[in-house]
Each structure stands twice: as C-alpha cells, then as structure tokens.
C-alpha cells in the first residue's frame, strides 16, 4: 500500500508510430490547495466513455502484454485510417477514468474541504484510475452514511445522463422518449426513472435476452431490432406512447432513420388531414454514443419537421446551470441504492485492468459486462 505521497496512475499514450501504449506510472500526489482534498480511490467504473480515451481507436485484437506483474504494459496497433482522428492526442501520456469514489485522507484549509475529512465521497473530474486524486471539494459528493465506495462509484456519468435525457425531453416539449441499446446499465436506470416518474419509454434492444432483462425490471415497451416485425412493433409502441424524441447510443447505420420514419407513421395515424410536407410535429433523434461508427443513414420518409444531432452530458449540464445540476445530483444521491444502483461483473486492481483476458471482455462493451477498478486493491 502506498503512503499517499505518491501513487500509481493508469496512463494511455498513442505514439506517432501508430502504437497505443497503456501503462502504470508512479506519480506524486499534489498537496491540496485551500479548497481541495486528497482522496484515496477505492472504486472507479469502466464506462464506454472511458474506453474512448483508454484504448482510443486501437485494434485491441493486436494487443500484446509486456513489463512485470507489478508494472504491466499493454501495446496495440492503431489502424492507419484511425490515426487521423487521434491527431490531438499523439505522443501525450493521458490519465484515464471519468468518475470514482473513495475516502478523503487529507484536506485544504477551507471549511468546505475540512468538512469532507474522513468521508466517503463520489468524484468527477478525470484521472480516476489512480490510487490518489487531489481535486476541488466542490467536485466531491459526500455519500450517505453506510454507502460504500463501490455503491457510489457510478454516481455521475450514467445517472446524470439518464436524468439528462428525461430533462431534455421535458425542456424540448416532448412527452415520451425512445432509447436504443436499452438493456445497458444506463438503459436500466432510465427505465427505473421513467417508471417512477410516469414517463412513456420505448426501449430498442438487439436480442430476446436483452428484452428479458428490461421486462424483469418492469419495462412496458420493449422492441427487438433483430426480429422481422421490428418496424411494426416500434410504430405500435410509438402510437401508444406518443414518443417524439429518441436517444441513440448506436449512431451508425439505419436505426436513427428508422426511428424518425416510424415516428412519422405513428403521428400520421392520428392526423386529421393529409399534408404533402409530412406532419408538423417535430421529431428529434439525439445521438449520444457510437457503438456503430458507420455513417448515419436517413431514408427520407419523415417530412420536414425533424432533427438529428449530438447530445453529450457535459454541454447539457453547462446549459442548465448550477441550481438544476444540484437538483439532479441530489436525486442521484437520494436514490443511489435503488433507481441508480449499478451492478458490476468483476472488480479488478490497476494491474488486472491491464490483463489481456480482462481487456478482451470490457473493451467489447457487452451488455451486462461492467468492470469496476479498485486502484488500492
């Protein structure tokens, strides 16, 4: 166990030569400023948003392990075509991990910082795949008594993304929504929110197993894109819910276009009169993930009142401002063990994070395979 003055940190580097290198580096723990604290990190999840930085565009089937058991190193080839997109990070050794939780072991002199001493807190701010993290007290969320670091580790990215979706829906005048890749950890949270808040939610999944996961937690509308009746099933669910906004984790291919077309058909089923420009009801798809990196195809059968755009959590939070962020954060803390509970299939140390057998599992981003890192394990 480290003394806290220095600690291991996981770093990801893409070299100009087209090689990814992931390694562990011993770094000094900065002394806290007045408004800062030092946290011993005990839990940090591997989210899809972390994988983008951790492995970049590398082809992980080419991954090779070297180094020692205490200081493993993973290298992998980045395909030539993908190197252009990596331009901004070439030859920079970058720390990884958006969120995590742990115990405050040292504080600065401000009252806000001192109030956190000894507390278990959840954190946001990057560089969480590390044994220690010095950060602002305001970026820490004290966890309720009796909450473990593992229970609080995924308090930010997935819960606030799910709440951000229902918040965006309301702010933009829609009454129900559609979600793709819906059996994910995030998708299950979104279902719990919508059930609790009485919001119509159409879940799009890719297999019967995924549909079963959602039915078990009470989801009402689940449609499977792998069955021949998919478009009819989707249209019927849209008629019943009136959903006119979708959040799409897939990104590429035809799905966004299929959703818009089915929304248009559903709206026209109750239309009083025909318009050759299509319905005047605005239909919106927000792409927030890139499970499929192909181009987005939009076969145009959905009139002129539509939009497709990107949606990310941080810009959304910047737009709504501190008071509303505080309201959403408080809801997450209040419902951390119910609505926003996360389930992990494996807890790994920093060294085990760089085990090729583990990388092969978590880099696939498969539903139901969520890893938690305990840097001080």
């Amino acid at each position: 166990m480290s003394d806290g003055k220095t600690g291991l940190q996981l770093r990801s580097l893409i070299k100009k030569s087209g090689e990814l290198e992931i390694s562990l580096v011993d770094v000094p723990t900065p002394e806290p400023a007045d408004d800062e604290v030092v946290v011993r990190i005990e839990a940090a999840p591997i989210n899809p948003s972390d994988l983008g930085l951790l492995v970049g565009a590398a082809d992980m089937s080419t991954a090779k392990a070297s180094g020692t058991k205490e200081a493993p190193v993973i290298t992998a080839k980045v395909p030539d075509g993908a190197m252009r997109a990596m331009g901004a990070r070439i030859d920079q050794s970058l720390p990884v991990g958006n969120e995590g939780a742990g115990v405050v072991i040292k504080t600065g002199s401000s009252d806000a910082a001192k109030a956190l001493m000894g507390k278990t807190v959840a954190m946001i701010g990057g560089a969480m795949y590390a044994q220690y993290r010095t950060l602002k007290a305001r970026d820490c969320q004290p966890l309720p008594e009796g909450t473990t670091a593992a229970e609080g580790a995924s308090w930010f990215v997935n819960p606030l993304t799910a709440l951000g979706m229902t918040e965006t829906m309301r702010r933009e005048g829609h009454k129900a929504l559609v979600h793709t890749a819906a059996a994910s950890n995030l998708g299950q949270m979104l279902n719990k929110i919508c059930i609790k808040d009485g919001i119509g939610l159409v879940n799009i999944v890719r297999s019967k197993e995924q549909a079963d996961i959602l039915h078990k937690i009470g989801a009402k509308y689940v449609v499977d894109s792998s069955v021949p009746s998919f478009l009819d099933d989707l249209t019927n669910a849209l008629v019943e819910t009136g959903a006119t906004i979708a959040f799409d984790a897939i990104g590429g291919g035809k799905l966004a276009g299929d959703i818009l077309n089915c929304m248009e058909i559903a709206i026209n089923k109750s239309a009083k009169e025909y318009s050759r420009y299509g319905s005047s009801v605005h239909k919106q798809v927000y792409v927030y993930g890139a499970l499929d990196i192909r181009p987005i195809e939009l076969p145009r059968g959905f009139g002129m009142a539509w939009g497709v755009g990107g949606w990310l959590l941080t810009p959304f939070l910047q737009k709504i401002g501190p008071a509303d962020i505080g309201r959403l954060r408080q809801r997450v803390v209040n419902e951390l063990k119910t609505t926003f509970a996360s389930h992990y299939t494996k807890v790994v140390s920093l060294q085990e994070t760089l085990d090729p057998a583990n990388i092969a599992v978590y880099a696939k981003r498969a539903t139901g395979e969520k890893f938690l890192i305990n840097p001080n394990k």
Side-chain angles (χ1 to χ4, degrees):
M1 181 70 96
S2 159
D3 59 4
K5 292 191 172 64
T6 69
L8 289 176
Q9 183 183 73
L10 191 149
R11 293 284 187 91
S12 174
L13 166 70
I14 290 179
K15 300 176 179 173
K16 199 149 73 204
S17 60
E19 186 178 62
L20 165 76
E21 181 183 281
I22 313 173
S23 61
L24 300 178
V25 182
D26 204 29
V27 295
T29 306
E31 282 294 309
D34 292 351
D35 60 346
E36 291 182 332
V37 298
V38 178
V39 180
R40 185 181 71 241
I41 300 176
E42 294 175 357
I46 301 179
N47 291 315
S49 52
D50 297 308
L51 286 171
L53 182 56
L54 181 62
V55 300
D59 175 0
M60 294 314 284
S61 69
T62 66
K64 289 188 175 62
S66 60
T68 63
K69 191 169 181 235
E70 284 68 42
V73 176
I74 292 288
T75 53
K77 180 89 184 79
V78 181
D80 293 342
M83 279 298 285
R84 282 195 302 279
M86 298 287 109
R89 58 170 291 191
I90 297 295
D91 290 337
Q92 293 179 68
S93 176
L94 300 173
V96 187
N98 286 319
E99 63 182 339
V103 176
V104 176
I105 58 166
K106 199 177 209 182
T107 78
S109 58
S110 76
D111 290 345
K114 286 198 293 202
L116 295 175
M117 185 63 198
K119 293 232 163 74
T120 300
V121 297
M123 306 164 284
I124 185 73
M128 295 298 168
Y129 299 168
Q131 289 180 307
Y132 300 96
R133 180 77 166 82
T134 303
L135 74 171
K136 300 250 187 254
R138 67 162 185 263
D139 292 328
C140 296
Q141 175 68 50
L143 294 172
E145 206 63 42
T147 306
T148 65
E151 286 170 329
S154 291
W155 75 289
F156 192 89
V157 176
N158 281 345
L160 286 178
T161 299
L163 284 173
M165 289 173 179
T166 56
E167 194 78 4
T168 299
M169 177 202 80
R170 289 191 189 97
R171 284 167 180 258
E172 297 188 2
H174 304 271
K175 66 170 190 175
L177 69 161
V178 179
H179 186 223
T180 71
S184 64
N185 206 283
L186 166 69
Q188 293 177 48
M189 283 180 192
L190 184 59
N191 270 280
K192 290 175 185 168
I193 294 167
C194 289
I195 290 165
K196 198 170 169 123
D197 295 3
I199 296 166
L201 172 64
V202 179
N203 297 278
I204 298 177
V205 296
R206 287 175 285 188
S207 68
K208 184 183 181 305
E209 292 73 31
Q210 292 178 349
D212 291 344
I213 290 170
L214 292 177
H215 283 309
K216 263 198 202 100
I217 61 169
K220 189 171 176 191
Y221 303 100
V222 185
V223 295
D224 182 347
S225 63
S226 71
V227 302
S229 59
F230 168 57
L231 295 178
D232 289 337
D233 297 342
L234 175 57
T235 303
N236 292 336
L238 292 168
V239 169
E240 288 197 39
T241 57
T244 46
I245 185 170
F247 289 87
D248 177 27
I250 311 293
K254 289 196 169 80
L255 190 55
D258 284 342
I259 293 168
L260 289 171
N261 281 311
C262 290
M263 283 177 176
E264 180 73 358
I265 294 164
I267 291 160
N268 285 330
K269 284 196 173 185
S270 56
K272 305 282 180 283
E273 57 190 56
Y274 168 75
S275 162
R276 63 195 172 125
Y277 299 112
S279 73
S280 58
V281 177
H282 183 77
K283 301 159 290 294
Q284 179 71 40
V285 175
Y286 283 118
V287 176
Y288 77 97
L291 294 174
D292 183 338
I293 55 171
R294 292 176 300 163
I296 298 171
E297 296 175 47
L298 299 174
R300 293 286 304 278
F302 39 79
M304 299 302 284
W306 60 278
V308 174
W311 190 97
L312 281 173
L313 177 59
T314 304
F316 167 74
L317 293 176
Q318 286 165 344
K319 199 165 70 184
I320 68 172
D324 282 330
I325 293 172
R327 173 173 58 83
L328 297 183
R329 273 172 64 155
Q330 194 53 52
R331 177 168 180 184
V332 176
V333 170
N334 295 348
E335 300 175 34
L336 203 50
K337 295 191 186 187
T338 52
T339 311
F340 302 108
S342 285
H343 305 285
Y344 305 99
T345 41
K346 198 165 185 182
V347 178
V348 291
S349 66
L350 283 171
Q351 288 83 358
E352 289 163 343
T353 305
L354 301 194
D355 178 334
N358 286 328
I359 293 172
V361 179
Y362 66 68
K364 274 205 320 248
R365 312 176 189 211
T367 299
E369 289 285 356
K370 194 169 176 70
F371 278 51
L372 186 68
I373 301 173
N374 178 350
N376 282 290
K377 182 179 169 186

